[in-house]
């Protein structure tokens, strides 16, 4: 039987948003300008050209789609874009729209040049997406007023706005929606060096001092994800304050990571449980996502979007046509090389 406890606790070190990432904690750390935004250099390069061109033509930006694993700064970048374009931004999420009228009301209340940010855009209902298509393309929406024989369609105009959509699952977006974005940017996991710079910048904002070796350890265990790095940093700051450290040193980071159950590769208890269970129960795999989902009482989407991307990024898990498989690197990390040798002939 797999212990469900770990997965039901707040995911302290996975990239999923927690209450701790709400306005008062995460927003202070968000960069405001493109110059302050660290990493994702390719995206920033393209984006600067697109923004400068739109400014030169005095036109609103074309619609932009941002996709990639959670915690990599998609919302932050949308806010940076709004700042750089001197535009106001309305932030919302796909599941917030139940009916066509909900999105129609929002769109018709925008002003020229406004940015509408829709997080989890893949979760918009098809009927809501339809309203969005015409708004994106024609800056108009067609609404049916009334019912039965007296029903009639009216076309309402929408101010020229920019939609920034964000998703962890670009494959779930319909073709017509995807085609209406002028730019599509894919986020990648950060390098350890970039996470170190983010940690040092965040420490300054939080008013704590961290030495470079401690920042390096923290960066290496942050799943190459700024949200995770900033969260661990806040916990390290707590630890350091309680223990009267005036400078955050290696020991404070190590002790905090121990407390959080995070290992040298940034894996938490749930990651290790996923890997060891696949090894012990399914001989290392392949095992289907639905089987894992019921074994861990965790939604398929959570396993797929929260846990798997980093395990695959560091080469501990592979997706094959027949299911998920644990790699030799993971066996080695977990100290289970013997099992690897036993099971290798079954693979
Ligand atoms: N905080 C979170 N993400 C960041 C980024 N990409 N650059 C700077 N600070 C950040």
């Amino acid at each position: 039987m797999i212990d469900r406890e770990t997965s039901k606790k707040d995911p302290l070190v996975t990239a999923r948003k927690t209450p701790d990432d709400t306005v008062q904690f995460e927003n202070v750390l968000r960069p405001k300008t493109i110059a302050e935004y660290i990493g994702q250099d390719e995206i920033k390069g393209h984006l600067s050209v697109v923004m400068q061109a739109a400014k030169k033509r005095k036109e609103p930006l074309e619609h932009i789609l941002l996709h990639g694993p959670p915690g990599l700064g998609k919302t932050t970048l949308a806010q940076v874009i709004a700042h750089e374009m001197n535009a106001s931004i309305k932030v919302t999420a796909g599941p917030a729209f139940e009916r066509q009228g909900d999105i129609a009301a929002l769109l018709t209340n925008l002003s020229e040049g406004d940015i509408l940010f829709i997080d989890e855009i893949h979760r918009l209902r098809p009927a809501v997406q339809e309203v969005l298509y015409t708004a994106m393309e024609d800056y108009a929406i067609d609404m049916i007023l009334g019912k039965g024989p007296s029903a009639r369609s009216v076309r309402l105009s929408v101010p020229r706005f920019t939609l920034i959509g964000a998703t962890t699952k670009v494959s779930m977006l319909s073709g017509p929606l995807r085609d209406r974005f002028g730019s599509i940017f894919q986020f990648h996991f950060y390098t350890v060096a970039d996470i170190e710079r983010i940690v040092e910048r965040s420490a300054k904002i939080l008013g704590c001092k961290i030495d470079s070796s401690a920042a390096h350890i923290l960066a290496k265990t942050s799943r190459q994800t700024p949200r995770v790095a900033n969260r661990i940093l806040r916990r390290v700051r707590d630890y350091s304050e309680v223990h009267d450290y005036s400078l955050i040193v290696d020991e404070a980071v190590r002790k905090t990571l121990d407390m959080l159950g995070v290992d040298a590769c940034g894996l938490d208890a749930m990651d290790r449980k996923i890997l060891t269970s696949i090894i012990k129960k399914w001989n290392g795999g392949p095992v289907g996502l639905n089987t894992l989902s019921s074994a861990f009482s965790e939604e398929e989407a959570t396993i797929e979007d929260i846990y798997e991307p980093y395990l695959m990024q560091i080469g501990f898990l592979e997706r094959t046509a027949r299911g998920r498989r644990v790699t030799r690197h993971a066996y080695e990390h977990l100290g289970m090389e013997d099992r690897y040798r036993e099971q290798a002939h079954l693979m």
Side-chain angles (χ1 to χ4, degrees):
M1 187 61 200
I2 290 159
D3 172 13
R4 290 175 51 185
E5 265 310 291
T6 326
S7 61
K8 298 303 167 210
K9 279 193 214 156
D10 258 359
L12 280 171
V13 287
T14 56
R16 179 158 49 180
K17 278 186 189 153
T18 70
D20 193 27
D21 297 315
T22 49
V23 181
Q24 68 269 41
F25 297 108
E26 202 172 33
N27 269 7
V28 288
L29 300 181
R30 285 190 203 279
K32 303 267 178 310
T33 64
I34 200 112
E36 285 170 1
Y37 192 100
I38 295 161
Q40 307 296 342
D41 293 343
E42 211 177 306
I43 297 180
K44 285 190 298 190
H46 282 185
L47 200 52
S48 296
V49 175
V50 173
M51 290 196 298
Q52 281 177 48
K55 275 188 192 161
K56 242 183 175 168
R57 288 195 298 262
K58 299 195 171 21
E59 282 177 4
L61 272 179
E62 278 190 50
H63 308 301
I64 297 172
L65 180 65
L66 309 175
H67 71 97
L72 298 189
K74 298 187 286 296
T75 306
T76 303
L77 190 64
Q79 286 171 340
V80 164
I81 295 171
H83 179 90
E84 297 284 347
M85 297 303 292
N86 271 324
S88 7
I89 180 166
K90 293 219 158 49
V91 176
T92 178
F97 301 97
E98 286 203 6
R99 289 158 311 179
Q100 290 189 328
D102 299 336
I103 188 128
L106 183 63
L107 289 166
T108 49
N109 274 311
L110 293 174
S111 304
E112 174 98 12
D114 276 1
I115 290 180
L116 172 62
F117 177 70
I118 306 185
D119 201 5
E120 299 186 78
I121 195 166
H122 63 277
R123 292 180 63 190
L124 279 180
R125 296 179 169 195
V128 174
Q129 284 191 27
E130 266 170 41
V131 176
L132 203 52
Y133 297 158
T134 36
M136 289 170 80
E137 198 155 87
D138 304 330
Y139 300 103
I141 51 179
D142 297 310
M143 294 299 291
I144 311 282
L145 296 184
K147 277 189 180 151
S150 64
R152 61 200 170 88
S153 165
V154 288
R155 178 157 266 228
L156 302 174
S157 68
V158 168
R160 282 162 59 91
F161 71 107
T162 300
L163 173 68
I164 303 183
T167 179
T168 50
K169 284 184 172 284
V170 72
S171 62
M172 276 180 64
L173 243 58
S174 70
L177 182 55
R178 220 174 25 221
D179 291 346
R180 284 170 170 81
F181 289 99
S183 310
I184 299 185
F185 297 123
Q186 180 179 6
F187 279 65
H188 295 287
F189 283 105
Y190 287 66
T191 61
V192 172
D194 282 341
I195 296 283
E196 262 177 67
R197 289 171 60 209
I198 291 173
V199 167
E200 277 161 5
R201 174 181 178 276
S202 298
K204 222 180 247 170
I205 294 171
L206 294 174
C208 52
K209 288 202 179 81
I210 181 164
D211 85 7
S212 58
S213 151
H216 182 70
I217 298 172
L218 205 160
K220 278 206 312 193
T221 49
S222 297
R223 306 174 85 87
Q224 300 173 243
T225 301
R227 179 182 296 152
V228 176
N230 284 334
R231 201 184 295 151
I232 295 178
L233 175 65
R234 293 197 297 268
R235 298 294 78 80
V236 175
R237 178 179 66 153
D238 291 346
Y239 181 93
S240 304
E241 280 180 12
V242 168
H243 291 86
D244 290 325
Y245 285 93
S246 55
L247 173 72
I248 297 174
V249 289
D250 296 8
E251 191 194 39
V253 178
R254 290 220 167 85
K255 288 259 164 68
T256 307
L257 291 169
D258 280 350
M259 249 164 34
L260 297 174
V262 175
D263 69 23
C265 285
L267 304 190
D268 68 5
M270 181 64 180
D271 296 303
R272 289 189 296 271
K273 192 159 278 185
I274 290 174
L275 297 172
T276 46
S277 299
I278 297 177
I279 292 170
K280 288 183 179 165
K281 293 183 68 165
W282 296 285
N283 293 323
V287 53
L289 178 62
N290 52 353
T291 310
L292 288 178
S293 157
S294 37
F296 294 106
S297 305
E298 196 65 88
E299 283 180 25
E300 287 186 18
T302 305
I303 297 182
E304 206 172 18
D305 301 343
I306 309 287
Y307 294 102
E308 285 186 350
Y310 181 65
L311 292 175
M312 292 196 297
Q313 163 73 13
I314 57 172
F316 280 10
L317 194 69
E318 289 173 340
R319 271 188 202 158
T320 72
R322 292 189 299 135
R324 276 64 176 161
R325 196 156 69 190
V326 173
T327 67
R328 179 182 196 144
H329 296 304
Y331 281 83
E332 285 167 3
H333 175 70
L334 296 165
M336 298 173 87
E337 295 90 338
D338 294 351
R339 265 200 197 244
Y340 181 79
R341 266 176 245 114
E342 278 166 35
Q343 290 175 353
H345 71 279
L346 298 170
M347 290 185 186

